[in-house]
Amino acid sequence: MSGPHADALRVLGDWRPADPQQDALRHAFLTLLDARADACLRACEPGHVTASAVLLDAAGENVLLTLHPRVGMWLQLGGHCEPADTSLAGAALREATEESGVDGLVVEPDPVHLDVHPITCSLGKPTRHFDVRFIVRAPEGAEPARSDESLDLRWWPLDALPEDSDIGPLMAAARARGQRSL
């Protein structure tokens, strides 16, 4: 195995989240990866690993969110792993770059948060996304450009996130990571 599958086994095998619920999810992700060689491919119908980006501005005061057309909520950037991806962090960086239109992004190598959620994605069938989330930082003065994958794209202050969003736990994890790195 190579690419995002091998990387996911390594990254999630090494990562030790402080939160016991996140650690339990980490074990669930590892179980899926051990059971399915196709776990990082969207064709894996029972569920598949995806990669997301908490895209912060250079000052770390704002997060770039997308109004997702299928879900109808403000979410972090991210999506499916592609065959050319060599790592989960690389997939998150690729997705963030494609969806934001911002060049020069930098991804942190360790996950910040995990989530499993039901969704009907491009398979057209109900499945689950086993989402591995990374912090990505934008360069100074970054000006995003909305892609066709978004209804809207907007910087949100970390202390004034949209109400129609389910990213509270993710942003709490990102804030905690930022405080530890000060």
Side-chain angles (χ1 to χ4, degrees), residues 113 133 161-162 165-175:
H113 190 260
R133 295 152 169 199
L161 297 171
S165 176
D166 191 19
I167 61 168
L170 170 59
M171 295 313 303
R175 278 191 203 97

Side-chain angles (χ1 to χ4, degrees), residues 42 51 65-73 75-80 82 91 94-101 145-153:
R42 72 178 80 207
L65 299 179
T66 179
L67 184 55
H68 195 282
R70 186 172 287 134
V71 180
M73 291 174 39
L75 300 173
Q76 75 281 356
L77 307 176
H80 293 101
E82 299 294 339
R94 176 187 50 75
E95 287 284 340
T97 302
E98 289 173 0
E99 293 180 15
S100 72
R146 185 181 65 81
S147 75
D148 291 340
E149 297 182 46
S150 177
L151 295 175
D152 196 1
L153 194 64

Side-chain angles (χ1 to χ4, degrees), residues 55-63 137-138 156-158 171 174-175 178:
L55 180 48
L56 301 174
D57 65 2
E61 297 172 354
N62 299 287
V63 62
R137 299 192 186 268
W156 292 85
L158 293 179
M171 295 313 303
R175 278 191 203 97

Side-chain angles (χ1 to χ4, degrees), residues 40-149:
C40 291
L41 302 175
R42 72 178 80 207
C44 185
E45 287 186 30
H48 42 272
V49 176
T50 56
S52 288
V54 179
L55 180 48
L56 301 174
D57 65 2
E61 297 172 354
N62 299 287
V63 62
L64 188 66
L65 299 179
T66 179
L67 184 55
H68 195 282
R70 186 172 287 134
V71 180
M73 291 174 39
W74 289 99
L75 300 173
Q76 75 281 356
L77 307 176
H80 293 101
C81 297
E82 299 294 339
D85 292 328
T86 58
S87 68
L88 286 180
L93 181 62
R94 176 187 50 75
E95 287 284 340
T97 302
E98 289 173 0
E99 293 180 15
S100 72
V102 175
D103 291 321
L105 300 176
V106 177
V107 64
E108 292 186 6
D110 295 322
V112 68
H113 190 260
L114 303 175
D115 186 67
V116 179
H117 50 272
I119 191 162
T120 301
C121 61
S122 58
L123 293 173
K125 299 177 183 176
T127 186
R128 291 175 293 167
H129 280 176
F130 287 73
D131 199 29
V132 183
R133 295 152 169 199
F134 296 86
I135 292 177
V136 175
R137 299 192 186 268
E140 187 72 38
E143 292 290 334
R146 185 181 65 81
S147 75
D148 291 340
E149 297 182 46

Side-chain angles (χ1 to χ4, degrees), residues 8-50:
L9 283 168
R10 181 189 60 75
V11 167
L12 294 174
D14 292 347
W15 185 52
R16 296 294 184 264
D19 180 341
Q21 291 178 341
Q22 286 289 290
D23 197 43
L25 273 178
R26 181 182 73 86
H27 286 284
F29 280 53
L30 289 169
T31 299
L32 172 68
L33 289 159
D34 284 338
R36 302 285 305 236
D38 64 347
C40 291
L41 302 175
R42 72 178 80 207
C44 185
E45 287 186 30
H48 42 272
V49 176
T50 56

